[in-house]
Each structure stands twice: as C-alpha cells, then as structure tokens.
Amino acid sequence: MPTILMPLPETDFDPTESGVPWCILTERGHTVLFATPEGLPARCDERMLEGTGLGILAPMLRADVHGRLAYEAMAQCPEFRAPLRWEDIKVAQIDAVLLPGGHAPGMRPYLESEELQMLVAECFRVDKIVAAICHGVLLAARSNATDETSVLHERRTTALLKTQEMLAWTLTFVWLGDYYRTYQVSVQDEVRACLSSPEQFVSGPLPLRRDSPQHPEHGFCVRDRNYLSARWPGDAHRFALELAAMLG
C-alpha cells in the first residue's frame, strides 16, 4: 500500500486539515508518516481545536466534531508520536506528500522552510503525488523547479480564498490582532502571483458550509495531474477522498 508523508511544524498546524486526511487514508490501509523539524511530536493550533478565545465565533471558526475526533485519534498513533526529522526525509521512500495548512505564527518556519520547499520540488520533479490544502498550497507555491519558477507555475490550483482570510481577520482582529493573517499578503494573492496566468487559480463555489463524512460533496478541490489542492478545513473530507482515489 502507498506511503504518504505529512510534514508538520512544531506547532500551530490545523487539526482538521491534518486529522481528517489521516483518518480517511489510514482507514483505507495507507501508511501515513510524519516529519517535524527536530523529530519531536507536533502540537496543533489549540485555538482551532478548543475554540479558546474565539468567543461566540467558536462554533463557526474552530474545528467541528469530525475534525476534533480525527485529530485526537491521529495524535495517539505511533507514527505521529515518533516522527522523522525534516532533514531525514527520503523522497524515494514515499509515494505522496500531504501539506496541511494553518494560519497561526508557528506555521511560518514550515511555510518558509528551504528543506521542505526542496522536498516538494523533488516530488514534482519525479512525479510523486503532492496534495496541499489551505496554507499548505503556499508552501507548494514557494517551491521552485529547476528553472526557478514555482512548481505551480503551469498548474491549476486553489487555496485559502482572500475573502475567507480577510473575513476571519476582520471578525477577530480587535482582540486577536493578526492571528488570522500569517502574512500581510494574502495566501490567494501570493499563490496567484506564482502562476503563469491568474485564471489558473480556481476559487470554486462559495464556501458556506463544511463537508462531512456524510456529505463530502460540500467540499471542493482541484486536481491537475499529480497535484491536488483544497481551500480550508471545510474541504478536508472531499480533499482526502480525492487523494485516496489518486493513490488507488
């Protein structure tokens, strides 16, 4: 069965965008390995898990019950508790790489890692499957091919929409500051700037509700050859099922 690598930062990754794909892939018999900067177990964004500090917005913004249960199960698995180090990853030993997102400050070392950017570029070079969701698409967009253009330059993709990012920031900046703005440039704007044409960025239908095990059709993702992308935790079930289909 295929082996999927999920690199993670030390902290602040999204629990749904990691947990739901892990759950769906392992249920189908696939092996999911993890890697962190120092080979220590990662910690997700606790605010997204528990809703702490989100006030009356918590039911809308934090992980739903499917995301929380999936993350809690993933956090107990042996592979999660004994991850590889980023520098020890060998592309030849995996069939796919899965890049979850997250927006809190702890994500920056992951999004800016030259090691991970080189890994992603190598996966594209040898036609491994690359799947990215939300801010994970930003890591892919920052990964350059041998001609120094982004590996996404000629690909269709989606990512966290600017409208989603700015709405969450606008609703919470009074007491959370820039918690929802990882960078001053939005994810959508930076990703689109890496593409050969703005039309390659696909926004999809309005993300008004999350998908679920019962209704994966509420989610949205974009596939272009060996590359798969999605926008936010509300696409996680559809994203994971499409990845599982790509893995066969």
Side-chain angles (χ1 to χ4, degrees):
M1 295 296 286
T3 297
I4 301 96
L5 174 75
M6 191 187 302
L8 296 171
E10 290 181 354
T11 187
D12 281 348
F13 61 95
D14 187 84
T16 302
E17 294 168 1
S18 53
V20 167
W22 173 86
C23 190
I24 289 174
L25 293 170
T26 55
E27 283 177 352
R28 284 156 175 74
H30 302 313
T31 298
V32 179
L33 302 178
F34 299 87
T36 61
E38 301 298 330
L40 300 174
R43 305 183 311 278
C44 77
D45 182 349
E46 291 292 334
R47 179 170 281 132
M48 287 294 94
L49 191 65
E50 304 295 342
T52 306
L54 295 176
I56 61 172
L57 299 176
M60 177 177 68
L61 296 177
R62 75 169 186 174
D64 66 9
V65 63
H66 305 297
R68 295 197 300 275
L69 291 175
Y71 175 77
E72 290 166 4
M74 180 183 75
Q76 297 304 313
C77 79
E79 294 82 5
F80 185 89
R81 296 168 70 89
L84 303 168
R85 293 186 302 171
W86 285 351
E87 63 183 40
D88 294 333
I89 297 169
K90 300 292 189 293
V91 171
Q93 298 173 347
I94 62 174
D95 300 287
V97 62
L98 195 166
L99 307 174
H103 53 265
M107 285 292 292
R108 289 177 185 166
Y110 165 86
L111 297 172
E112 297 166 11
S113 167
E114 292 185 3
E115 285 179 309
L116 294 184
Q117 291 169 21
M118 290 173 62
L119 165 72
V120 172
E122 178 66 7
C123 286
F124 273 94
R125 189 185 71 80
V126 298
D127 289 327
K128 301 283 186 179
I129 293 171
V130 176
I133 180 170
C134 196
H135 282 64
V137 178
L138 197 54
L139 173 54
R142 292 174 173 180
S143 304
N144 289 338
T146 54
D147 64 356
E148 298 304 314
T149 61
S150 169
V151 294
L152 300 188
H153 189 64
E154 299 296 339
R155 306 270 176 163
R156 295 171 66 251
T157 189
T158 192
L160 179 70
L161 303 182
K162 186 174 183 177
T163 52
Q164 293 177 292
E165 187 173 349
M166 295 306 297
L167 177 61
W169 176 76
T170 300
L171 291 173
T172 62
F173 81 95
V174 170
W175 71 96
L176 294 182
D178 283 338
Y179 168 68
Y180 271 101
R181 294 200 73 182
T182 314
Y183 300 100
Q184 288 305 301
V185 177
S186 73
V187 172
Q188 179 175 341
D189 285 344
E190 183 172 341
V191 171
R192 286 184 69 181
C194 294
L195 307 177
S196 63
S197 169
E199 286 70 33
Q200 290 165 226
F201 189 94
V202 185
S203 297
L206 287 175
L208 298 177
R209 53 185 173 178
R210 297 172 185 252
D211 63 10
S212 67
Q214 297 77 25
H215 293 287
E217 72 277 5
H218 293 168
F220 176 76
C221 55
V222 174
R223 178 178 176 180
D224 188 331
R225 290 161 281 174
N226 64 320
Y227 169 63
L228 180 71
S229 58
R231 304 170 300 181
W232 70 305
D235 295 329
H237 292 85
R238 173 77 175 272
F239 173 72
L241 289 170
E242 183 70 19
L243 176 55
M246 292 170 69
L247 291 163

